[in-house]
Amino acid sequence: MLFALVGALVAALVLATQGRADPLMAPRRTCADPAVANLPLGRVFASAPARGPFKPGHVLPTWWWQWGKYRLHASKRVNRRPAAAPKRIPAWAWKALRRFEKRREVRTPPALAAMVCLHEYAHRRSALPRFHVSRKLSKAAALKVQKMITCKELGHTPCGIDNATYERQVGFTGAWWGENAAYLSDIGGYSGVRATFNAWLNSAEHRFSITFQHYDEVGIAAAHVSRLWPNAFSGVIWVADFGGSK
């Protein structure tokens, strides 16, 4: 009886350990998990730097606009779409905030924005400075995805072209450069944003790239393909390029 109880306790502890969430994985309320199946086949998408600070052209305290944006994002999380203007927020200001946020969302597809969010969360939880989305690294990642499609090859050097070539092509001059890449199947949802990031976290090499202290810039690119090579599967190619100036 005692051995049975001890065995049951050990089994419960093992299951609890296996089911414990990774501390670097952001909860869904922080970073969404939009469907990647909506990405058009064969088209390469890249992350883009966030727009500059909100400048409505009206003289109001900064804290007022911050509160207004907080209410806007809170309404999106609850209702999945912006609600009517809350009390004490003029209708013209609410419309201005919504237009600004809509233009920012159009620049980066939701799936790529979610992947950037996951990287930023993991960096913060690692007590590192916030990632900045780099236009150059985003372009390099998109070029790498396009080269993989052209060469029908998954890897960091498709067609034998090394990363230094992409650095020169986009004009990146930082001291540090790293890269994560993945090609996962749509079947079972393995190509999704959170599923791909979780796979990277579970790999020591990929996790190192995400949490490396010298990386403070990131660029994400993705493409939904029917198959990367003749006998492959329908899935999403993900590339995350990292960089640092010191």
Side-chain angles (χ1 to χ4, degrees):
M1 182 67 177
L2 179 60
F3 288 109
L5 289 174
V6 172
L9 179 60
V10 171
L13 289 174
V14 171
L15 290 175
T17 302
Q18 292 177 345
R20 187 177 302 161
D22 192 306
L24 299 187
M25 175 63 78
R28 292 179 183 272
R29 67 178 179 273
T30 302
C31 298
D33 190 18
V36 295
N38 297 331
L39 294 175
L41 286 172
R43 184 177 173 184
V44 180
F45 293 89
S47 56
R51 298 178 65 87
F54 181 63
K55 298 179 180 178
H58 300 276
V59 180
L60 285 172
T62 302
W63 63 264
W64 193 96
W65 291 111
Q66 294 297 330
W67 179 68
K69 287 196 291 185
Y70 169 78
R71 292 299 301 270
L72 176 62
H73 292 173
S75 69
K76 286 183 180 181
R77 287 194 297 269
V78 174
N79 304 317
R80 295 184 181 276
R81 61 180 180 180
K87 293 181 180 179
R88 301 182 181 178
I89 296 184
W92 62 264
W94 190 249
K95 290 180 180 178
L97 281 171
R98 289 184 59 179
R99 284 197 301 269
F100 176 78
E101 291 296 326
K102 186 175 182 180
R103 289 197 301 269
R104 180 161 62 178
E105 290 171 358
V106 168
R107 291 173 63 88
T108 301
L112 274 75
M115 184 63 84
V116 170
C117 177
L118 289 171
H119 279 80
E120 290 181 342
Y121 181 89
H123 229 224
R124 290 197 305 270
R125 288 300 299 266
S126 302
L128 297 171
R130 179 182 177 183
F131 267 131
H132 296 284
V133 177
S134 165
R135 183 174 281 105
K136 292 180 180 180
L137 291 178
S138 299
K139 184 178 179 180
L143 290 172
K144 178 64 67 70
V145 172
Q146 188 60 60
K147 184 61 67 174
M148 289 183 190
I149 296 174
T150 302
C151 300
K152 297 181 173 57
E153 177 185 350
L154 174 67
H156 296 289
T157 57
C159 289
I161 301 175
D162 60 6
N163 285 329
T165 302
Y166 299 95
E167 292 182 47
R168 290 192 298 269
Q169 192 168 350
V170 302
F172 181 79
T173 57
W176 300 91
W177 175 289
E179 185 177 86
N180 283 345
Y183 172 45
L184 301 174
S185 173
D186 289 337
I187 300 175
Y190 295 109
S191 62
V193 179
R194 296 181 70 87
T196 301
F197 191 73
N198 187 59
W200 281 342
L201 288 179
N202 289 328
S203 165
E205 294 82 2
H206 296 88
R207 189 184 187 96
F208 174 81
S209 296
I210 296 170
T211 60
F212 187 46
Q213 61 181 348
H214 292 291
Y215 292 155
D216 55 12
E217 297 179 81
V218 66
I220 309 290
H224 192 201
V225 295
S226 57
R227 53 176 53 91
L228 186 55
W229 52 82
N231 297 325
F233 44 80
S234 173
V236 177
I237 305 170
W238 288 97
V239 170
D241 278 345
F242 307 93
S245 56
K246 56 182 181 180

